Amino acid sequence: MKTLNIIVCLKQIPDPEGPTTAYGVDQAAKEMKISGIPPVVNPFDENALEAALKLKDQHGAKVTVLSMGEKLAKPVLIKALGAGADDLILLEDTGFKELDSKSTAYVLACAARKVGDYDIILVGRQAGDWDSGQTGMLLAGNLDIPAISLAVDVKVDESHVVVRKLKRNGHQVVKAPMPVLISADSQVGALRYPSLKALMAAKKKKPLTWKAADLNLDATKLIARNLYQLNPPPPRFRKCVFIEGESLQDKGENLAARMCQDGIL
């Protein structure tokens, strides 16, 4: 079997594990303000990269990472090269700011065509910021290739992929010809930790940067997400309550009763 060519799409997002104090909302500008914490790679996209690296371990695949945005933090994305990706391509342009899912899929499709010969495209099942879960399937539609969602295990059988995917009540095994797009679930496994040596080598490797003009795309198809309103979440007020009782058993029973009363249990 020939060497596999795999494309992995990684999205840079605000850190979902960051403290709430680092986030604010500018209601007039309809923008989220972030201070003091760096962005991260979307966790589901890290699962997709791990799926690609497992295939590379088995078949000697070439793994190319695509990441799209306006101002990308290169040190964040260098992690992909340290983990084992071969190439990192940044799709960086002011026209790529806050695009809707359909436009994002269109840009990624143009980039995939420019990459050339590919067998598998791997994406995360959804992004950790908007959680829409649409871009991957729209990307497959743009490229007119089959798509398999919610993958937990990916194997290659000659010119086909065999994927075990999530279903409501268990798993389903499906087979599809390549080229194919696969969206990865977290059950694929966490991204492996790159060694210090690999990270140092990755920092010396210069990523490619493609602008909108490099992709031969139709700029009229780049439509920004239309936010009608953006509001901060309502404040959460906490009240400290001391649970009394004559014995430890009484205190435990009173605690359980209060938690049921407050809807916690």
Side-chain angles (χ1 to χ4, degrees), residues 163-265:
V163 177
R164 184 162 57 93
K165 59 171 287 181
L166 285 177
K167 295 288 287 184
R168 185 179 296 275
N169 297 314
H171 296 100
Q172 179 183 30
V173 177
V174 297
K175 187 174 183 179
M178 296 186 284
V180 61
L181 181 139
I182 301 169
S183 76
D185 181 74
S186 58
Q187 290 187 33
V188 163
L191 179 62
R192 62 195 64 184
Y193 286 102
S195 67
L196 180 59
K197 182 179 179 181
L199 277 175
M200 295 302 291
K203 289 178 180 179
K204 296 177 182 177
K205 190 169 184 178
K206 188 176 180 180
L208 291 174
T209 301
W210 291 347
K211 301 291 186 183
D214 299 317
L215 299 178
N216 193 31
L217 51 75
D218 181 356
T220 63
K221 293 184 178 181
L222 304 185
I223 301 172
R225 183 182 293 109
N226 189 8
L227 287 180
Y228 292 95
Q229 194 172 10
L230 185 64
N231 297 319
R236 297 178 64 184
F237 298 101
R238 294 185 178 183
K239 182 179 179 181
C240 182
V241 176
F242 291 94
I243 304 298
E244 303 294 342
E246 294 184 3
S247 66
L248 289 176
Q249 183 174 343
D250 289 340
K251 291 180 180 180
E253 291 175 353
N254 293 339
L255 175 60
R258 181 56 187 263
M259 293 176 76
C260 288
Q261 177 186 329
D262 292 346
I264 299 173
L265 293 178

Side-chain angles (χ1 to χ4, degrees), residues 1 57 65 145:
M1 185 176 69
D57 292 340
V65 169
I145 60 175

Side-chain angles (χ1 to χ4, degrees), residues 44-156:
F44 286 113
D45 293 347
E46 288 195 347
N47 300 138
L49 178 56
E50 178 60 24
L53 295 177
K54 286 177 179 177
L55 291 173
K56 181 177 180 178
D57 292 340
Q58 298 165 11
H59 303 286
K62 179 183 178 183
V63 178
T64 300
V65 169
L66 297 178
S67 189
M68 173 186 153
E70 182 196 12
K71 295 179 181 178
L72 297 172
K74 294 179 180 62
V76 173
L77 298 165
I78 288 295
K79 179 181 179 182
L81 293 173
D86 298 287
D87 293 310
L88 172 60
I89 302 174
L90 308 179
L91 311 177
E92 202 168 23
D93 197 282
T94 55
F96 298 160
K97 182 180 180 181
E98 296 295 335
L99 295 181
D100 63 17
S101 298
K102 184 177 180 181
S103 300
T104 299
Y106 170 66
V107 174
L108 290 172
C110 292
R113 292 188 184 99
K114 185 175 174 65
V115 169
D117 183 31
Y118 58 85
D119 301 294
I120 300 171
I121 297 178
L122 277 155
V123 301
R125 61 174 289 175
Q126 64 201 69
D129 48 4
W130 290 95
D131 281 329
S132 62
Q134 298 174 333
T135 304
M137 300 301 105
L138 289 168
L139 172 55
N142 269 277
L143 296 170
D144 196 25
I145 60 175
I148 302 172
S149 62
L150 306 177
V152 300
D153 184 61
V154 182
K155 297 188 182 301
V156 171

Side-chain angles (χ1 to χ4, degrees), residues 20-36:
T20 56
T21 53
Y23 297 93
V25 172
D26 185 335
Q27 289 181 268
K30 300 177 185 176
E31 291 181 352
M32 184 170 66
K33 300 297 183 182
I34 306 168
S35 60

